[in-house]
Every structure is written in structure tokens, then in C-alpha cells.
Amino acid sequence: MLPEDGHFAEDVAATYDESSADMFRPEAVDPVVDLLADLAGDGEALEFGIGTGRIALPLSRRGVPVRGIEMSRAMASRLREKPGGDAVPVTIGDFATTHAEDARSAAVVYLVFNTINNLTTQDAQVACFHNAAAHLRPGGRFVIEVGVPDLRLLPPGQTAVPFHISPTRWAFDTYDVATQALSSHYVTIVDGRAEHRSIPFRYVWPAELDLMARLAGLRLRDRWEDWHGKPFTGESTQHVSVWEKPLD
């Protein structure tokens, strides 16, 4: 059984910002906030898996009212401790099914940094789209940033793909192509001893996400390779997709 905070309990939350430092740099954050602020306009934004506030806090500073849903109390606690954190209400729960407290119809709901993959079943991912649609006002947008599965890197018989190698830290993904299960493994050398952590995910294809959106009554509006609007192609390793709730 998972601990109350899932895979992002206190031991992870305590060092999350430092371990993901590259994603907190202005060049990684600003394009995300620019697009989300533009989509929100004069409306409200809701972040699924708000974490420690990497995107929500600068978006709030832009004047966009932001709310969040987060399973990990430890991560949400880190957000509240930061400047401006008290202005971002967070509802604790699974973002696939939890309704944000006192939430009005949002102009934009968003999921960034591969967080859709934290839902480890197709049913949960489908439920997430329905939950997003339930929070959106007519004409509102649901935005997801997620990687394209790296299956082309797998030669026959291989199930693991490394993505970080250094003298003190190794990280690699393992794939089960029959179930779309993906696990990220992290090995860190601390005081000469190896510490291992593993987090399960479910990878999902762009076309599969589009079908989930249709089931929830949403339609694809835009898809880019990145937050700068670079065209999405067969060589893209990630995508930013925007689905829209019809006006009628």
C-alpha cells in the first residue's frame, strides 16, 4: 500500500526543488507561464498535480487566480511556505477524481512536466480528462505537457533506457510495452552507499490522449513540440497539447 502522500512523501518533497532545479530556471518556467496566462485571460486557472508551485506561483504573480489539486500533503506544504503560497488554495486529493474546493468554472486546467503519467492506469487517465472537463467553463482549455514514449530507443529484447549518468547518480526508465507501464529508477550514491528509488508511471500516446479528450467532450485545438509553439513532428520527443471545451 502506498503511503498517504503517494510517491512524493516528505523524503522526496524535502529535496524536490533542488533535484529538479533545471525545471525551475526562468527559461523553463517563463514560456509555460506566458502561454497559460494567455489562455486564462481574465479567468481562473486550475493545476492538476500542483506540487511545490513551480508554475502556479509565478502564474499567480501574473494576476491569474490559481487553484490546485495535489495528492501529496508534503509537496503542498512546501508550496504554502513560499512567498505567495497562501494565495494559491490547494485541495488535497487524486486529481483524476477530486473536485477543487470552491472552484468556479476555470478558463484553463493544466498538467505539466509529464504528470499525466503519474496516473498508472488508462481508466485513471480517462477519468482525469472527465475531471478537467467538469472544472472548465465553456470555451475553456485543458493543457497537458508530456513526453512522447521513447520506444524507438529500445532494441529487441531491451526494456531499459538510461536518461542520466554521473559519478553519484544514475537514472533509467524501464518499459513494459504490453501494458504501457513505465518505471523511473534513481540510484544515488550517498556517503559511499547506493540508495535506490523507483516510481511507476503509465506512458500514453498523443492519439490516445485525443481519444480520451473526445470521451470527455473536448476537442483538440493545438499541439506543439514545446511551449514556444515549435511544430510537432514525428521526431518530437515531447508535446504540449491543448483541448477545448465546446461553447455549446
Side-chain angles (χ1 to χ4, degrees):
M1 180 179 292
L2 285 176
E4 185 178 45
D5 285 352
H7 294 281
F8 294 86
E10 178 60 33
D11 59 332
V12 175
T15 59
Y16 180 82
D17 289 10
E18 291 78 9
S19 64
S20 304
D22 285 348
M23 296 302 296
F24 283 79
R25 292 179 293 113
E27 52 265 43
V29 171
D30 290 350
V32 184
V33 173
D34 288 344
L35 178 60
L36 294 175
D38 182 61
L39 292 176
D42 60 357
E44 187 173 282
L46 172 64
E47 181 169 359
F48 285 177
I50 196 169
T52 65
R54 180 180 72 94
I55 299 301
L57 290 174
L59 184 59
S60 177
R61 289 194 290 269
R62 289 282 187 95
V64 177
V66 184
R67 294 179 178 271
I69 300 175
E70 173 59 49
M71 176 177 285
S72 170
R73 288 171 171 80
M75 296 285 277
S77 176
R78 291 305 190 284
L79 184 157
R80 295 189 188 101
E81 292 170 356
K82 295 178 179 180
D86 57 349
V88 180
V90 178
T91 301
I92 300 299
D94 180 350
F95 61 74
T97 56
T98 300
H99 194 85
E101 296 176 3
D102 300 321
R104 298 184 297 275
S105 295
V108 61
V109 177
Y110 64 96
L111 261 176
V112 297
F113 202 14
N114 299 316
T115 303
I116 185 67
N117 291 345
N118 286 83
L119 301 174
T120 56
T121 68
Q122 187 182 70
D123 284 346
Q125 291 173 344
V126 169
C128 174
F129 273 81
H130 282 278
N131 199 27
H135 282 92
L136 286 171
R137 68 188 186 188
R141 317 286 172 72
F142 184 32
V143 183
I144 288 181
E145 173 196 28
V146 66
V148 177
D150 286 333
L151 299 193
R152 289 196 298 176
L153 299 179
L154 290 175
Q158 181 175 318
T159 60
V161 175
F163 61 88
H164 181 88
I165 299 175
S166 71
T168 59
R169 184 170 179 263
W170 314 324
F172 59 96
D173 289 330
T174 55
Y175 291 84
D176 182 338
V177 298
T179 64
Q180 291 183 214
L182 163 67
S183 291
S184 292
H185 306 269
Y186 304 88
V187 179
T188 305
I189 306 301
V190 180
D191 296 329
R193 299 183 61 181
E195 297 181 355
H196 174 257
R197 179 168 63 94
S198 180
I199 301 177
F201 301 100
R202 181 185 186 271
Y203 67 81
V204 62
W205 299 98
E208 189 180 7
L209 291 170
D210 291 342
L211 182 55
M212 293 178 185
R214 289 177 60 190
L215 292 172
L218 307 176
R219 58 192 178 198
L220 183 67
R221 178 183 174 88
D222 292 296
R223 173 167 289 135
W224 308 288
E225 180 175 298
D226 57 25
W227 293 98
H228 297 282
K230 184 177 179 181
F232 179 76
T233 73
E235 298 302 315
S236 299
T237 60
Q238 66 170 16
H239 62 99
V240 175
S241 295
V242 181
W243 297 271
E244 185 175 56
K245 186 172 183 176
L247 289 171
D248 49 17

